[in-house]
């Protein structure tokens, strides 16, 4: 699936959420990190030509709040991003943006609440970001609030083209 907007150059989900929800749940909450390699290979099968044509400077995973990441043990978006980077030979940068505010879990909010929940939640820590094109990576794209907020921040820092790749596109709440 593809999504395009004014902030984003474009983006893609590899699967529809309903078809893979159990797998994503195990990946996120049951420590099944090895699933990331399968997801990255599926991205190659489905999106190889598109991702290669992006000429991305970096893949940037959506960051988790530090306390939440410590509790879970890892950031599933980063794990997927690393597998994707390896599959496409694109550097993964998890040192560029951080989540500076512990937000309410998005699955508990409607579309309007999701947008306000993310205000000032992210901080781009490097002032010398000189990427022309990046790919933001997350697990699930529902309303796009998280991706849009990050894309907005990167655009303000001069990134010209911002794409996203997610494991799944979910049903809009």
């Amino acid at each position: 699936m593809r999504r395009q907007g004014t902030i984003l150059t474009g983006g893609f989900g590899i699967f529809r959420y309903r078809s893979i929800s159990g797998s994503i749940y195990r990946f996120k909450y049951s420590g099944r990190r090895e699933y990331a390699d399968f997801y990255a290979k599926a991205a190659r099968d489905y999106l190889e030509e598109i991702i290669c044509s992006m000429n991305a400077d970096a893949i940037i995973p959506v960051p988790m709040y530090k306390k939440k990441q410590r509790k879970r043990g890892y950031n599933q978006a980063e794990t997927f991003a690393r597998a994707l980077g390896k599959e496409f030979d694109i550097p993964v940068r998890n040192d560029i943006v951080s989540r500076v505010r512990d937000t309410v879990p998005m699955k508990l909010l409607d579309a309007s609440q999701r947008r306000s929940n993310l205000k000032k939640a992210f901080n781009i820590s490097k002032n010398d970001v000189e990427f022309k094109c990046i790919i933001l990576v997350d697990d699930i794209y529902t309303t796009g609030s998280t991706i849009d907020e990050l894309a907005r921040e990167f655009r303000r820092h001069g990134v010209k083209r911002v794409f996203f790749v997610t494991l799944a596109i979910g049903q809009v709440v």
Side-chain angles (χ1 to χ4, degrees):
M1 294 189 100
R2 178 187 172 102
R3 194 238 188 213
Q4 199 166 349
T6 55
I7 299 168
L8 290 161
T9 307
F12 304 89
I14 302 166
F15 303 99
R16 290 188 185 275
Y17 180 71
R18 288 178 197 232
S19 71
I20 197 166
S21 61
S23 174
I24 291 175
Y25 184 87
R26 290 186 296 279
F27 178 55
K28 285 176 77 162
Y29 303 111
S30 298
R32 301 306 300 260
R33 296 180 207 188
E34 70 273 15
Y35 286 15
D37 292 330
F38 167 80
Y39 299 143
K41 286 179 183 18
R44 177 167 290 286
D45 291 345
Y46 179 58
L47 299 172
E48 179 173 18
E49 190 175 313
I50 293 165
I51 289 176
C52 290
S53 72
M54 290 176 188
N55 294 315
D57 299 309
I59 292 174
I60 299 175
V62 170
M64 288 177 78
Y65 190 66
K66 294 278 187 211
K67 184 177 175 183
K68 187 175 184 180
Q69 185 170 334
R70 277 193 302 274
K71 183 178 178 185
R72 186 172 295 169
Y74 63 101
N75 175 350
Q76 72 279 354
E78 183 178 337
T79 302
F80 173 49
R82 291 201 181 285
L84 200 61
K86 192 169 117 184
E87 192 70 33
F88 287 95
D89 196 29
I90 301 171
V92 176
R93 298 290 303 270
N94 69 341
D95 61 333
I96 303 294
V97 63
S98 58
R99 194 172 210 131
V100 294
R101 204 164 57 76
D102 190 10
T103 55
V104 175
M106 299 297 266
K107 64 185 175 186
L108 303 175
L109 305 174
D110 65 27
S112 158
Q113 293 168 320
R114 288 174 185 228
R115 283 186 292 279
S116 61
N117 186 41
L118 291 166
K119 296 291 183 204
K120 299 184 182 175
F122 300 106
N123 181 45
I124 294 180
S125 57
K126 303 236 183 219
N127 289 333
D128 59 346
V129 175
E130 294 183 13
F131 301 130
K132 292 181 182 98
C133 178
I134 61 170
I135 302 172
L136 298 173
V137 170
D138 205 0
D139 53 358
I140 304 165
Y141 181 103
T142 306
T143 62
S145 299
T146 303
I147 296 290
D148 285 349
E149 188 63 26
L150 276 169
R152 191 174 291 108
E153 285 298 309
F154 277 104
R155 290 287 193 149
R156 284 188 333 148
H157 280 80
V159 177
K160 301 293 181 215
R161 296 181 304 128
V162 180
F163 292 92
F164 75 84
V165 173
T166 60
L167 296 177
I169 299 268
Q171 182 178 347
V172 175
V173 177

